[in-house]
Amino acid sequence: MIRLDNVSFAYQRGRNELDRVSIELPSHRRMAILGGQETGKTTLIGLLAGVIDPTGGRIERLAHLSFPAGYNRAFRLANTVRQNVIFAARVYDADPGEVVDFICGILDLNDWIDRPMRDLPVQTRRSVAYALTYALPFDTYLFDNIIGPGDPATRDLWRVLYEARTATAGAVLATRQPRVAETYCDCALVLRRDAHPVFFENLREATALFEAEAAADQRANAVGHDQPAVDTPTFDEGSVGNQALAKVAD
Amino acid sequence: MTQTYPSGRMYAAGPRRLALRAQFNVLSALLFREAGMRHGQNFTLGYLASGVEPLVIVATIGLLFSALSRTPPYGSSLMLFIGTGVFPIYLFIHTSLRLRQPLNAVAQRQRFPIERPFDHILVHAVLHLLSSALVAVLFFGSLYLFFGVNAAIPSDPVTAVVSLLVVLMLGIATGICNSVIARIIPAWDLLWPAIARASLHFSGPYFVAAYLPPDSRWYFALNPVIHGVNWFRHAFYPFYPNQLTDHSYILAFTAVLLFFGVLLEAGTRRYLEEKD
């Protein structure tokens, strides 16, 4: 259970990303946060994780929430991969040896593990950050847009890990693609611009509201800027869920 | 309220009862990592390296006084007198300098959300205390062992420890204030090290504060560090003149500064986040 009590957040004064949100969210289910552009998905994930502090109100977390998946700002680049992983494991109350073994087991890191973090290719560094997220024990894993870096070699790995972890723990996945939500989640929170977020037990109802909202938005944009409405992108059935693996350029 | 999670863990009234354990994990992990780092670079014994500076100052002042063939201002050993002044002063200077780092804007972004700024402040303060204590013990111990200065073993060890803790608290309070001031006025990062090091000479490392001329003495007494130095010297010299030692002054100064620093940090947090 995560209780948001009158939570507001503004990057700039007078322009609230979230405005006095009071809602109770499940922490032990797979929940999608559905919302269009600039509705505060990333902000909400950051607030839940504690990476940013709310401007007003308070968040009560009755579960261990993870940092946003793939969080790599806390790595010390001068330290080796092993030192960084051990530090994270200690801080989050996990057995350091187990965590190192887990990461070495799923990524082919053997010659990198004892090298300084700054020597690693950026792609590998991101993979380590995601593997670390899955390696640590949390009650709820927070994902912002993607569940793993979209590297073709490891594409299936992240999907398998996601399924394995969410079998016993909760997840919150922020996305603006209903297909992704359907593939990875069971319930959803719909964020809307200038309106309160709504929680849905049923994903179909959430998707319906989200799509109606998106269509209304597009119509408003088309009228406002006198531009033709952009076609909604179509996905082919075979790659359902792949959108969650690569960051989509906004 | 009790809730069971699929992972089998149970929380009564939320995970708060695990908070102490989480706190311990963070502090111990940080302590071992930060002990080997300096400015984000790997540097074994990084904290001990800062102990070299007081040793150099003690040596230079000692050399100068020997060259001028002055007698020690108090007691029989020149090195001991200078050492008892320089070590507490440098504990203050280094703490007030180093504690700016945990609160700076870039460092705050490079952390796991579970690490809070005051965890870092606590860990850096403890590391400073340990490293300065180690260097001080080595210095006074070698004075006793190799130079035969019997007074180098404090006759009142409790006073020595208490006075150093008070000076450390003063350094922490100053460091917190500095970290906020430096984020509002970035030039403070350049000014404060100069001010702090210059203040060394006004804190009485090589003179007895109580022997100063009466009309200028009270200006010196406004500096809280000089009271800490006098307090520390009482541990070594039982009959050290105490006309200018006011324990309540340094304690009150520390408490006010600490309160003000924490208030300033909390009050400007929003403003600084928007500014950066």
Side-chain angles (χ1 to χ4, degrees), chain B residues 34-48:
Chain B
E34 298 296 318
M37 294 194 98
R38 196 178 149 100
H39 304 305
Q41 297 297 314
N42 277 325
F43 185 36
T44 321
L45 307 178
Y47 268 88
L48 276 184

Side-chain angles (χ1 to χ4, degrees), chain A residues 1 3 9-13 27-28 49-51 53 55 58 60-64 67 71 73-76 78-79 83-84 87-88 90-93 118 132 137-139 167-169, chain B residues 1 3-9 11 13-16 18 21-22 25-26 28-30 32-34 37 40-42 107-116 120 269-271 273-274:
Chain A
M1 182 83 78
R3 253 186 234 126
F9 185 83
Y11 285 110
Q12 289 167 352
R13 199 179 290 276
S27 58
H28 57 289
V51 176
D53 290 325
T55 319
R58 58 191 293 269
E60 201 179 342
R61 304 176 181 86
L62 296 180
H64 281 288
F67 43 84
Y71 184 79
R73 290 187 306 196
F75 289 147
R76 286 284 176 276
N79 282 358
Q83 283 172 329
N84 275 303
F87 175 75
R90 283 213 191 114
V91 162
Y92 283 101
D93 201 13
R118 77 158 49 92
L132 179 67
F138 291 111
D139 292 332
T168 56
Chain B
M1 182 178 157
Q3 223 181 337
T4 315
Y5 286 89
S7 59
R9 259 193 268 169
Y11 296 118
R16 198 161 287 161
L18 294 177
R21 186 177 169 153
N25 286 334
V26 171
S28 58
L30 267 179
F32 285 110
R33 188 181 72 174
E34 298 296 318
M37 294 194 98
Q41 297 297 314
N42 277 325
Q108 291 213 26
R109 291 201 196 103
Q110 295 174 339
R111 281 176 200 158
F112 287 114
I114 199 173
E115 309 166 39
R116 304 313 289 182
H120 283 255
R269 196 179 291 155
R270 277 306 304 166
Y271 164 74
E273 270 170 23
E274 278 170 21

